[in-house]
Amino acid sequence: MKLRLSIDVKSLYLNIKNDNASGHTATVATPIKQYNSWNDDLINIFKLPENINNYSKENIIDKLLSKSRAKVKINNVYIFDKISVNGILLENAPSFCMYVREEISEGYIHYGRQKLHYPISFKYNDIEVDINNSIVLKMISETLHNYAFIIEAFEYDTSCNLLDFKATIVGANSIPYSKVFVNRKGVGNKFSFVFNETSDSYDAEIIALREKLGFDNVSPNNFSEVMENNKNIANQLALKYIAENEGINIRLLTDDYPYALYDYEYEINNKKQFMIIRYTATKNKYFNLSMQKVRFINDFHENTKVMLITNINEQPEYHIYNQDKMNQCVKNISSVCYRDTEDI
């Protein structure tokens, strides 16, 4: 049986650059009980074995409480020595530690609150236990090719005592915090002028769009809106295709993170897959990808495909590209970044 523990979205992440004046660090904790209300997404934590001897547990609790300024107690300490990320096992990793902390100061507003903590830098070892959360997270980052990622849940497999970190890649390494979190849930369109990917397609798309939608219905003034509508059509077609080809747990990531490096993530045979969606009103098989997306495809070439939908406003056709097929395509470089480092 697999027990899923969903955590706060801003509580555990790596390789995201803080572009705020202050604060905005990972909270590394999620409430389990607060104001006499239980968090159903985390209640399963109490079904997990702690997997630790009493001697080590007492020493760990002493170490954790030694830096606490509040009146608290540690109720449970969980040690995991079999760890994976998105189903990929970490070889020769140290153990990872999580614990449940309860506020016990009577009269305090948060009296009775319990939180699940998963500190980024906690370290402890003795003759039987070797815990190093920092190294585990570093190994997870390396497994994900050091892209910016968020841990959205832990999943514990009771049959083999494996803790799987459910990671979502949200951008390139050092993506600004404001692009990941502030713009979630569709508000990223406030920055469409700055981060627009469709403007470079104007010359190739405008004639076909006008022929199919009417010459008076498409112009530079509404081109982005027309392309956004076609994007929605493409996403629905892609969703149908993935579902019909054994994809499960399908998620349109760009709904939550507009600047993600892929559009859809899904699972086939317990392995996470990625799909980048491209579309055109023409019958020409062409698509543009940023260098960041090309790099992502190279890094995750076994798990990533590009779906190109041609003739999208008339009789749409699917075209699927993996890395090998893309390498056979003719390529044009549309822009070059010049950087003057002479006086740096």
Side-chain angles (χ1 to χ4, degrees), residues 159-325:
S159 66
C160 59
N161 300 322
L162 173 71
L163 182 71
D164 189 38
F165 285 67
K166 295 299 183 182
T168 297
I169 296 172
V170 294
N173 189 295
S174 298
I175 185 174
Y177 180 102
S178 59
K179 287 183 73 174
V180 175
F181 292 115
V182 176
N183 297 330
R184 291 185 75 243
K185 298 299 182 186
V187 297
N189 56 9
K190 293 179 182 178
F191 294 86
S192 61
F193 178 77
V194 179
F195 302 110
N196 197 306
E197 282 193 334
T198 64
S199 56
D200 290 339
S201 301
Y202 184 87
D203 291 2
E205 294 294 314
I206 189 62
I207 294 176
L209 286 171
R210 284 182 161 180
E211 287 177 346
K212 292 176 173 60
L213 302 179
F215 284 86
D216 296 329
N217 293 329
V218 187
S219 70
N221 294 330
N222 71 340
F223 177 76
S224 292
E225 296 175 15
V226 172
M227 292 293 284
E228 184 68 19
N229 183 63
N230 279 356
K231 177 182 177 181
N232 292 333
I233 296 172
N235 285 338
Q236 290 302 310
L237 292 171
L239 174 62
K240 180 182 178 183
Y241 177 91
I242 294 170
E244 290 177 348
N245 286 270
E246 301 182 346
I248 62 173
N249 298 329
I250 306 169
R251 178 185 183 185
L252 180 58
L253 193 68
T254 45
D255 269 357
D256 292 333
Y257 304 101
Y259 311 118
L261 294 171
Y262 54 91
D263 296 285
Y264 275 103
E265 65 177 27
Y266 54 101
E267 292 181 11
I268 295 179
N269 297 326
N270 294 321
K271 297 293 184 181
K272 185 170 281 192
Q273 308 293 319
F274 310 105
M275 184 82 79
I276 297 172
I277 311 303
R278 288 295 180 260
Y279 52 93
T280 172
T282 74
K283 294 182 180 180
N284 300 324
K285 290 186 281 185
Y286 85 98
F287 53 91
N288 296 317
L289 294 176
S290 68
M291 286 306 300
Q292 288 185 342
K293 285 184 170 63
V294 172
R295 190 176 299 115
F296 180 85
I297 292 169
N298 289 337
D299 287 336
F300 293 92
H301 59 90
E302 294 181 353
N303 311 79
T304 308
K305 292 182 176 63
V306 175
M307 172 184 286
L308 171 65
I309 302 174
T310 58
N311 201 21
I312 192 167
N313 296 114
E314 201 166 75
Q315 293 181 324
E317 293 185 8
Y318 297 103
H319 308 276
I320 306 298
Y321 295 83
N322 58 18
Q323 185 192 46
D324 290 340
K325 191 171 181 180

Side-chain angles (χ1 to χ4, degrees), residues 3 12 22 30 63 78-79 101 103-104 152 167 178 184 238 342:
L3 301 174
L12 188 56
S22 61
T30 299
K63 183 173 183 177
Y78 301 95
I79 307 302
R101 192 177 92 158
E103 307 278 353
I104 59 172
E152 296 189 318
S178 59
R184 291 185 75 243
E342 183 176 354

